[in-house]
Amino acid sequence: MTSLEDVRDEIKLKLTGDLLEFELEDETIDKVIKSAIRELQRYITTTRLITVPYKDCLDLSDSADTNGEELDVNYVVMIYRTHDIGSNADTNSYDPMQIAQWQMIAGMGNLAYFQDAVYNYGAWTTLQQIRNTTSTDLAFKFDKVTKKLYINSSTGTPDYITIEYIPVIKEVEDIESEYWEDILVRLSLALTKVTIGRIRSRYTQSNALWQGDGETILQEGQEELKELREALVNNAELYFPID
């Protein structure tokens, strides 16, 4: 896993070759990296899963509702039933393909009360369709401000629920994807180039024997930033809202 120190060292290596003196302090480089993380947050869509006891309203910022884990959720993607419909369901669910297999193997006349079971299953399926029409099962609403997740259950309350979510990225260590680690390094490097380019080009000397590379590195950083940002926008997941 890449750390803050790893990103900082790579930036300094690419800009100095470990031979030149770098004018930025480590604290300043860390601030640039933090700025890159903040910009990347809107594009990172790597999800995580957590299974928790079911409640109609879950406070995802409260460890009591998240199995003792401290979560900082940016967006809830999907909710899944983990085990079964639940102990509070009106009836159990059946697999129609499994019923069809029994029918083909045993034959209609060899299963006692099979026809009644088919009728009951048909009635239950119709009831489920009506329920889903009037009330969508597992429809949810996530309040990003209060971090509360509201869940609707129309087919019996499950014992557990699995939540797929996108976490808030605050530290370099929170990024677990090699792709996004690479993007973070490239974006941080480009932002650092713009920063030191503006510093070096703040003043110019017309009669100096040596000329600084402030303008050059500033332009290089701006071009890299533009290319990266265009790539991020073009490859952004349109499924998720911008907020």
Side-chain angles (χ1 to χ4, degrees), residues 4 29-45 74 144 167-172 174-175 180 183-185 187-188 191 225 229 232 242-243:
L4 178 64
I29 301 175
D30 293 346
K31 290 180 180 179
V32 174
I33 297 173
K34 292 283 187 180
S35 178
I37 292 176
R38 178 193 56 78
E39 184 171 347
L40 282 181
Q41 174 66 78
R42 74 192 73 167
Y43 301 108
I44 295 178
T45 56
N74 184 46
K144 192 172 182 179
V168 174
I169 304 299
K170 294 182 178 179
E171 307 292 340
V172 175
D174 294 335
I175 301 177
W180 289 112
I183 294 295
L184 174 63
V185 172
L187 183 60
S188 300
L191 289 172
L225 271 180
R229 286 169 175 165
L232 288 170
I242 300 175
D243 58 5

Side-chain angles (χ1 to χ4, degrees), residues 40-235:
L40 282 181
Q41 174 66 78
R42 74 192 73 167
Y43 301 108
I44 295 178
T45 56
T46 304
T47 62
R48 297 177 184 173
L49 296 173
I50 184 171
T51 299
V52 299
Y54 176 84
K55 289 174 62 176
D56 292 335
C57 178
L58 290 166
D59 188 349
L60 299 184
S61 63
D62 187 354
S63 58
D65 285 354
T66 57
N67 294 333
E69 295 188 37
E70 295 183 2
L71 302 183
D72 198 351
V73 179
N74 184 46
Y75 184 78
V76 175
V77 179
M78 190 60 67
I79 298 175
Y80 309 95
R81 291 179 180 270
T82 304
H83 294 150
D84 197 353
I85 286 181
S87 56
N88 297 326
D90 296 332
T91 182
N92 291 325
S93 60
Y94 300 95
D95 184 356
M97 294 303 297
Q98 186 177 13
I99 292 179
Q101 284 181 343
W102 277 106
Q103 180 180 354
M104 287 186 296
I105 295 174
M108 286 291 292
N110 294 336
L111 288 178
Y113 307 109
F114 180 80
Q115 195 64 36
D116 291 339
V118 171
Y119 289 148
N120 290 336
Y121 180 76
W124 178 80
T125 303
T126 303
L127 177 61
Q128 298 298 88
Q129 292 175 348
I130 295 174
R131 282 178 171 174
N132 286 332
T133 301
T134 58
S135 177
T136 303
D137 188 40
L138 293 189
F140 65 91
K141 177 67 177 179
F142 176 60
D143 188 341
K144 192 172 182 179
V145 177
T146 63
K147 302 298 183 181
K148 290 187 176 180
L149 176 63
Y150 301 89
I151 308 173
N152 176 64
S153 176
S154 64
T155 317
T157 56
D159 297 325
Y160 292 89
I161 205 79
T162 296
I163 304 169
E164 183 179 9
Y165 68 96
I166 299 174
V168 174
I169 304 299
K170 294 182 178 179
E171 307 292 340
V172 175
E173 291 78 8
D174 294 335
I175 301 177
E176 300 175 348
S177 166
E178 293 182 356
Y179 170 81
W180 289 112
E181 287 177 355
D182 179 64
I183 294 295
L184 174 63
V185 172
R186 293 170 58 191
L187 183 60
S188 300
L189 179 61
L191 289 172
T192 305
K193 287 182 178 180
V194 171
T195 302
I196 62 176
R198 294 192 185 282
I199 294 173
R200 293 176 183 178
S201 60
R202 179 65 178 85
Y203 299 102
T204 58
Q205 293 178 320
S206 58
N207 58 347
L209 296 176
W210 302 95
Q211 185 174 357
D213 63 346
E215 292 292 343
T216 301
I217 200 168
L218 175 60
Q219 182 179 359
E220 183 179 321
Q222 289 174 332
E223 290 175 354
E224 290 178 4
L225 271 180
K226 181 180 179 181
E227 180 183 350
L228 273 172
R229 286 169 175 165
E230 287 179 353
L232 288 170
V233 170
N234 292 335
N235 292 282

